[in-house]
């Protein structure tokens, strides 16, 4: 793979990978580290994808796995230094988007992850199951519960 191809892939997927990592770990520095590790794995692996959707799915699955690895590591257990959401370099179109995003980020990881993949990355329930390693009914249940929790947090029904 040439340097130009690497740069093109990085530019194409960097935001999606970063958003996924940040949604999982809620920490800018860790999200950046995970993003870097994910792209290193892509560039060093000898993998060919059928299309860009499969490429993006693979990247997001690797990102989730890297996040899980980080949470299991001893380094993480002894260095819980989260950056407040306001300092995470995220831009919102409206104040309501900011409110919804903060509510999503307050959810437990398993709910935050499926909400992010479904609403922010536009993946189907089947694709989310493949990325997270869960069956479709588990993903549907987590989406239902996450929506219910968001409704309680926000005090209204979401129309995303």
């Amino acid at each position: 793979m040439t340097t130009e191809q690497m740069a093109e892939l990085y530019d194409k997927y960097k935001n999606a990978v970063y958003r996924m990592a940040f949604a999982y770990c809620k920490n800018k520095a860790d999200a950046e580290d995970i993003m870097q590790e994910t792209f290193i794995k892509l560039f060093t692996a000898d993998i060919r994808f059928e299309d860009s959707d499969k490429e993006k799915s693979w990247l997001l699955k690797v990102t989730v796995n890297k996040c899980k690895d980080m949470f299991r590591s001893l380094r993480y257990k002894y260095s819980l230094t989260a950056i407040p959401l306001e300092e995470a370099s995220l831009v919102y179109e409206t104040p309501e988007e900011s409110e919804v995003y903060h509510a999503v980020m307050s959810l437990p990881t398993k709910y935050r992850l499926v909400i992010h993949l479904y609403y922010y990355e536009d993946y189907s329930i089947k694709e989310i199951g493949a990325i997270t390693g869960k069956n479709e009914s588990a993903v549907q249940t987590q989406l239902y519960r996450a929506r219910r929790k968001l409704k309680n947090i926000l005090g209204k029904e979401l129309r995303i």
Side-chain angles (χ1 to χ4, degrees):
M1 187 178 299
T2 67
T3 306
E4 292 81 24
Q5 290 171 320
M6 288 180 186
E8 184 180 318
L9 286 173
Y10 179 79
D11 289 340
K12 185 175 181 180
Y13 297 116
K14 68 181 177 186
N15 291 332
V17 170
Y18 176 79
R19 284 190 312 264
M20 173 58 71
F22 188 82
Y24 199 96
C25 63
K26 298 194 322 186
N27 180 309
K28 183 179 179 181
D30 288 339
E32 289 170 349
D33 288 348
I34 288 167
M35 183 174 77
Q36 179 180 357
E37 290 176 24
T38 300
F39 280 103
I40 288 171
K41 184 165 183 160
L42 173 66
F43 299 148
T44 58
D46 188 25
I47 300 173
R48 301 288 177 245
F49 299 98
E50 295 173 21
D51 57 38
S52 62
D53 287 340
K54 295 212 185 301
E55 192 169 58
K56 184 178 178 184
S57 292
W58 183 88
L59 279 167
L60 293 178
K61 185 169 182 77
V62 169
T63 302
V64 168
N65 289 336
K66 295 278 183 196
C67 290
K68 288 178 181 178
D69 291 346
M70 182 195 69
F71 280 111
R72 284 191 292 259
S73 75
L74 287 175
R75 177 188 71 89
Y76 179 77
K77 290 177 183 172
Y78 293 109
S79 68
L80 296 173
T81 56
I83 294 173
L85 292 176
E86 291 76 25
E87 298 175 25
S89 302
L90 300 171
V91 178
Y92 309 104
E93 296 289 323
T94 64
E96 189 175 78
E97 277 186 12
S98 173
E99 180 185 0
V100 170
Y101 191 77
H102 280 73
V104 169
M105 294 307 288
S106 73
L107 294 173
T109 303
K110 65 182 179 179
Y111 299 133
R112 190 171 60 239
L113 190 60
V114 294
I115 288 287
H116 179 80
L117 287 169
Y118 190 79
Y119 289 108
Y120 293 95
E121 300 296 336
D122 294 323
Y123 279 102
S124 70
I125 290 177
K126 183 176 182 178
E127 292 168 324
I128 294 170
I131 290 170
T132 61
K134 294 178 175 31
N135 65 40
E136 290 178 43
S137 63
V139 172
Q140 286 176 324
T141 300
Q142 287 178 342
L143 271 172
Y144 171 77
R145 290 178 181 163
R147 288 183 193 120
R148 196 172 62 201
K149 286 182 178 292
L150 285 172
K151 182 179 177 184
N152 290 338
I153 293 168
L154 297 170
K156 60 187 174 212
E157 191 71 37
L158 289 180
R159 291 191 177 96
I160 300 177

